[in-house]
Amino acid sequence: MEAESLVSLLPELENYLRRFDDCMARSEQRASLRAYVRGQLSDLPRKSIEPMALACGLPPRNLQQFLSLHGWNDAQVRDRVQQIIAREHDDADSVLILDETYHAKKGDKTPGVQRQWCGTKGTTDNCTVTVRLAYVAGGACGLRTLLDSELFLPKETWSEDRIRCRKAGIPDGVVHRTKWAIALEMIDRARSNGVRPGWMTFDAGYGMVTEFLLGLNQRGVQYVGEVPGHLTGWTKPPPLLHKELFTHKHFGHPRKFPRPKTLPGNMHRPKRVDSLASYSPTFTKQPWQRFHVKNDQGGAVVWEAREAEFYLRKGDKYIAVPSIAHRLIAVRNVLTGETKLFVSNAPPSVPLATLLRVAFTRWAVERCFQDAKGELGMGHFEVRNYKSLMRHMILTAVSFLFLARALNKRRGEKPAPDDLPAAPGHERACQGTLGGLVGAA
């Protein structure tokens, strides 16, 4: 953000940061909070601790100790961010977006770092991974902000090496969890703070996990998520046996019920969703419906879609039973031929256009990451301590929410121009990069 713009926002920023004062017992901690957030909002080219502290006239050690040693309640700060969003940005059509960020790092001291897939570089590299929730309200031109984050702790190189974890300050209670399990925990936390999004969306990395989809069902979270072609299920539920039909001996463990009825040729076995979308009469006998999704530099982007009732395969390897009814949506780009598959637990009364609006809202999380890294220095952390890393992520969410709110206030509430998400080009006209437009305000 340009210096002149930040100066004009200082009274507003001070009122905002006062809402976090009760999370910090000492005045020095509250002063450090203000220095850290102002540093992230500044126009410094690099926003690690040393340049931010020097810009505020503080010894770098002050902010280092603020992150690593001071006894302020970081969990309460994170909860306060979510409570502000819940109370002041509640929206029946809001979308919760699940994704992950990658931070390339040198060395082996940063908590969670190892050679793993780094989406930022598009290759395997030395990096840390954080699972993220973003929140979008008010349509394509509305508020979008970061809601929560958690570090993904690799199993073999970190979680099972407790000596290494203790050196990095990782508590013994923090162990390896799958990314989808982390996501469910964050969703539970957000809901406990009053966040009630109308929808949720995610990519196929999470959509491939049936347990995750069923976990959302159990929580009553309405979603439209991309799924990979190898996910299996049925367009019609198979017949089930709920008890033995004949009395006879079975060797080994007793059989479990309910279980699919065995039929000649395995005609009721679950099938891959890409096969269903391509060959099932349920799909092939219905026409494609066209939807204008967005505009880009090449003009209108149009996708065709069709859908069918779908039942997820659940259960263990040997006993596959159907879930409750879902909706399987197949889409293809009219111009490029690109295809995608989505699964939703929304009831049949929800229009297909609404489901596509939610599904194609996922671009917003990428803009959140771009803004957080480019404008706030989210990836500029240089810490070797778990507490410092997590506090940096929480403070970044504090800074991001202020910037998003300030921009929204100056721009005014503008509804999305279409039922479906606006194009990246139109979205830039509405919102642009956070710092750029606030600087111009």
Side-chain angles (χ1 to χ4, degrees):
M1 182 188 295
E2 296 175 0
E4 296 82 0
S5 299
L6 181 56
V7 170
S8 69
L9 291 172
L10 284 180
E12 188 176 336
L13 177 61
E14 177 59 27
N15 289 334
Y16 172 73
L17 292 178
R18 282 182 189 144
R19 304 176 74 165
F20 300 92
D21 281 351
D22 61 327
C23 306
M24 302 175 185
R26 296 165 49 194
S27 60
E28 295 90 343
Q29 297 166 359
R30 294 191 285 272
S32 294
L33 168 67
R34 284 153 174 78
Y36 204 95
V37 172
R38 288 184 187 181
Q40 288 195 310
L41 295 173
S42 72
D43 57 358
L44 291 170
R46 183 160 182 84
K47 299 174 182 180
S48 55
I49 285 178
E50 183 173 358
M52 290 197 303
L54 294 177
C56 293
L58 297 175
R61 182 178 296 274
N62 285 30
L63 292 189
Q64 291 170 349
Q65 293 179 344
F66 173 65
L67 288 187
S68 62
L69 297 177
H70 288 184
W72 52 279
N73 195 332
D74 44 55
Q76 187 178 356
V77 171
R78 178 200 61 214
D79 292 346
R80 185 64 47 78
V81 168
Q82 297 184 5
Q83 290 160 5
I84 292 172
I85 292 171
R87 294 169 185 168
E88 301 176 19
H89 302 284
D90 182 48
D91 178 5
D93 292 322
S94 60
V95 181
L96 195 64
I97 309 174
L98 172 63
D99 208 342
E100 52 204 51
T101 51
Y102 309 86
H103 307 280
K105 294 295 175 181
K106 297 179 179 179
D108 61 356
K109 304 301 182 184
T110 304
V113 71
Q114 72 167 15
R115 283 192 62 81
Q116 56 192 322
W117 174 255
C118 182
T120 305
K121 293 191 172 183
T123 185
T124 299
D125 202 354
N126 205 50
C127 67
T128 63
V129 180
T130 51
V131 182
R132 301 275 181 166
L133 284 180
Y135 180 86
V136 177
C141 294
L143 178 134
R144 60 169 184 262
T145 189
L146 297 176
L147 191 70
D148 204 351
S149 63
E150 282 288 349
L151 176 69
F152 171 72
L153 194 66
K155 186 177 182 180
E156 292 83 5
T157 57
W158 279 93
S159 185
E160 294 179 352
D161 187 348
R162 298 318 300 183
I163 294 177
R164 186 184 189 189
C165 286
R166 293 186 189 110
K167 288 181 180 178
I170 300 175
D172 289 342
V174 177
V175 297
H176 168 78
R177 296 164 293 163
T178 59
K179 294 173 183 177
W180 64 267
I182 292 173
L184 290 178
E185 291 176 13
M186 291 196 297
I187 292 167
D188 290 341
R189 185 157 61 212
R191 287 162 62 87
S192 71
N193 284 317
V195 179
R196 291 290 188 273
W199 295 92
M200 183 173 184
T201 190
F202 41 84
D203 66 19
Y206 295 91
M208 67 185 293
V209 184
T210 303
E211 292 90 338
F212 175 66
L213 302 179
L214 297 177
L216 295 179
N217 290 347
Q218 293 169 359
R219 288 162 173 78
V221 177
Q222 193 167 238
Y223 65 84
V224 186
E226 188 173 356
V227 296
H230 60 73
L231 186 75
T232 57
W234 302 266
T235 53
K236 293 182 180 180
L240 299 177
L241 287 176
H242 294 274
K243 64 179 181 178
E244 292 286 6
L245 297 181
F246 304 99
T247 303
H248 54 81
K249 292 183 178 180
H250 289 284
F251 297 99
H253 295 290
R255 299 209 299 176
K256 297 179 180 179
F257 293 92
R259 62 187 300 116
K261 184 182 293 185
T262 303
L263 295 174
N266 291 323
M267 63 180 296
H268 286 298
R269 70 182 185 277
K271 295 180 174 61
R272 292 170 53 114
V273 291
D274 55 0
S275 178
L276 290 172
S278 298
Y279 304 112
S280 170
T282 309
F283 277 95
T284 58
K285 288 184 178 180
Q286 60 176 290
W288 290 98
Q289 301 180 55
R290 289 197 170 189
F291 295 90
H292 171 218
V293 172
K294 60 182 181 180
N295 295 314
D296 63 13
Q297 294 179 350
V301 178
V302 178
W303 289 74
E304 295 178 320
R306 52 191 183 188
E307 64 161 322
E309 193 172 80
F310 178 69
Y311 298 82
L312 289 166
R313 176 195 185 277
K314 66 177 185 177
D316 60 32
K317 180 178 179 181
Y318 303 102
I319 304 178
V321 295
S323 68
I324 61 171
H326 291 70
R327 296 165 71 175
L328 175 61
I329 307 159
V331 300
R332 69 181 182 189
N333 187 295
V334 172
L335 183 62
T336 67
E338 178 187 3
T339 61
K340 292 178 180 290
L341 295 166
F342 300 96
V343 165
S344 177
N345 61 353
S349 59
V350 178
L352 181 56
T354 300
L355 301 187
L356 295 184
R357 175 185 65 81
V358 175
F360 284 99
T361 300
R362 207 175 69 80
W363 60 264
V365 73
E366 298 299 335
R367 291 304 306 272
C368 282
F369 295 160
Q370 291 172 15
D371 291 335
K373 290 180 178 181
E375 302 295 338
L376 303 177
M378 181 175 69
H380 294 174
F381 59 89
E382 299 172 349
V383 299
R384 297 182 175 183
N385 178 276
Y386 174 78
K387 178 184 286 187
S388 298
L389 174 58
M390 298 312 299
R391 284 180 164 181
H392 167 73
M393 297 300 176
I394 290 170
L395 293 174
T396 301
V398 173
S399 301
F400 199 108
L401 178 59
F402 171 76
L403 203 49
R405 283 160 57 94
L407 177 60
N408 233 32
K409 182 177 179 180
R410 280 152 181 75
R411 187 184 64 240
E413 297 296 337
K414 295 181 180 179
D418 302 305
D419 253 342
L420 297 175
H426 177 85
E427 177 269 335
R428 281 192 291 271
C430 293
Q431 185 149 336
T433 60
L434 289 174
L437 275 189
V438 174

